[in-house]
Amino acid sequence: MARILSNGILTVEIADVGAYGGTRFDWTGFITGVTLEQGGHTFCVPESLVPGQGTGGIGLCNEFGISRAIGYEEAAVGEWFPKPGIGLLQKQSGEPYSFVGEYPLKPFPIIEEWSEQSVTYTVEPLECRGYSMRLVKSLKLEGDRLNISYNMENNGTKALRIEEYIHNFVGIDQAFVGTDYELRLPGVPQIVAPESSYTENLLSVSGNSLTWAGEPDRQFYCRLEGWEQAEANYYWELLHKPSGACIRESGDFTAERIALWGDKHVISPEVFADITILPRHSKGWSRSYQFFTS
């Protein structure tokens, strides 16, 4: 099931808490659909078009700790560690943490407050070996923008170092990836650490734009640099040239890094926030998504 936020300009579908049920993506604000009512343009697609493949992502999916799960390394096998927005996960082996792994779960208690154009989630803490955090996350429609704000309180005795991003599973009007798309960044982007020569040959840069040589037949991944010193009020924007439909992400924090993942049907620019919170302190940050036609 899904809940709806709507203001006449945007309609946003949000999955019920727990409907996703996995241990990778934040259960709160799990955005499965966005429609720009003028023109009926849609932006969200599944992680995979093949049933049963992938990790269950769709649309705009928040994740904390993809590469450094809180407290995992120091936990003994069988002990628990916290994954914000989800709950306490149980360490199953001495192997490194894997974001695609399956872990036994004790879900966090979550309180929801809904209105027609906003929702606020309060994720209550469960103490875990000195780690304890309360997350308040709000989604609000303002014109053609979907604004997402976060506030995390460290109620534990250990510092929190949190890596947060949104895995943007985007396919504008469900158009497959190819020459019709253009990804713009503030600055001159550089393709760094491509996963293979396939990605390197698939992508090209001209000015502040990245384009695709053709329709990919497999996944691609790289990191993007060259935008760090640019003065701009956005992180990236993706344009579907035939329709003119565009999505732009901005925020109030300095990006720690930007990565790009995708497949034949999906483009996912990923903007990472690096958050450190000392005990008895809190930290807030925000993201904003604008949906429009150029």
Side-chain angles (χ1 to χ4, degrees):
M1 297 293 292
R3 301 283 294 269
I4 301 294
L5 301 181
S6 181
N7 64 356
I9 299 173
L10 296 177
T11 298
V12 177
E13 300 177 5
I14 304 173
D16 288 339
V17 169
Y20 157 65
T23 56
R24 179 182 184 186
F25 297 115
D26 184 350
W27 288 14
T28 68
F30 192 94
I31 299 164
T32 58
V34 176
T35 301
L36 177 63
E37 292 299 336
Q38 185 173 8
H41 299 293
T42 60
F43 297 86
C44 295
V45 295
E47 175 185 353
S48 174
L49 296 178
V50 180
Q53 288 191 6
T55 59
I58 182 172
L60 311 184
C61 298
N62 206 176
E63 182 177 8
F64 293 87
I66 183 174
S67 63
R68 55 171 190 265
I70 298 170
Y72 181 86
E73 290 187 0
E74 67 205 55
V77 174
E79 289 187 326
W80 300 81
F81 62 98
K83 181 91 167 177
I86 302 175
L88 302 184
L89 281 58
Q90 189 177 44
K91 186 170 182 176
Q92 297 294 286
S93 73
E95 296 297 317
Y97 171 75
S98 171
F99 66 89
V100 299
E102 296 182 3
Y103 298 91
L105 170 67
K106 296 178 182 177
F108 289 133
I110 299 175
I111 301 168
E112 307 173 59
E113 300 176 74
W114 288 83
S115 71
E116 289 185 0
Q117 298 182 23
S118 67
V119 57
T120 297
Y121 301 92
T122 301
V123 185
E124 296 290 356
L126 294 174
E127 198 281 333
C128 179
R129 298 183 296 106
Y131 295 106
S132 179
M133 66 220 58
R134 174 179 284 106
L135 172 65
V136 178
K137 180 178 173 183
S138 296
L139 285 66
K140 185 177 182 180
L141 299 182
E142 293 186 359
D144 62 358
R145 291 180 178 268
L146 169 62
N147 296 325
I148 305 175
S149 64
Y150 310 77
N151 187 273
M152 183 169 286
E153 300 175 6
N154 185 351
N155 299 316
T157 59
K158 297 180 180 179
L160 299 173
R161 189 180 175 205
I162 299 167
E163 180 184 49
E164 182 270 337
Y165 77 107
I166 292 183
H167 206 318
N168 304 299
F169 296 106
V170 177
I172 298 176
D173 293 337
Q174 300 188 0
F176 275 19
V177 179
T179 57
D180 286 342
Y181 280 102
E182 181 179 343
L183 180 67
R184 300 169 178 165
L185 287 90
V188 180
Q190 301 168 19
I191 298 168
V192 178
E195 53 82 31
S196 69
S197 60
Y198 178 83
T199 293
E200 195 170 15
N201 294 329
L202 177 67
L203 304 174
S204 61
V205 173
S206 177
N208 72 330
S209 296
L210 183 150
T211 55
W212 284 257
E215 182 178 313
D217 56 11
R218 48 165 281 191
Q219 295 182 9
F220 55 89
Y221 176 84
C222 64
R223 293 192 181 187
L224 299 174
E225 295 183 357
W227 46 267
E228 295 86 350
Q229 302 302 320
E231 294 183 3
N233 58 1
Y234 70 100
Y235 301 126
W236 59 269
E237 63 181 21
L238 181 67
L239 169 68
H240 180 240
K241 290 181 281 189
S243 67
C246 192
I247 173 176
R248 175 187 294 156
E249 182 183 358
S250 56
D252 66 354
F253 60 91
T254 300
E256 189 271 330
R257 68 181 186 275
I258 296 180
L260 176 65
W261 176 90
D263 205 337
K264 64 181 181 180
H265 71 291
V266 56
I267 297 170
S268 180
E270 303 166 350
V271 181
F272 286 79
D274 192 20
I275 308 292
T276 298
I277 310 174
L278 297 176
R280 299 180 299 281
H281 287 70
S282 64
K283 176 71 176 180
W285 68 101
S286 66
R287 298 175 183 267
S288 181
Y289 290 87
Q290 185 177 13
F291 303 89
F292 59 98
T293 52
S294 60

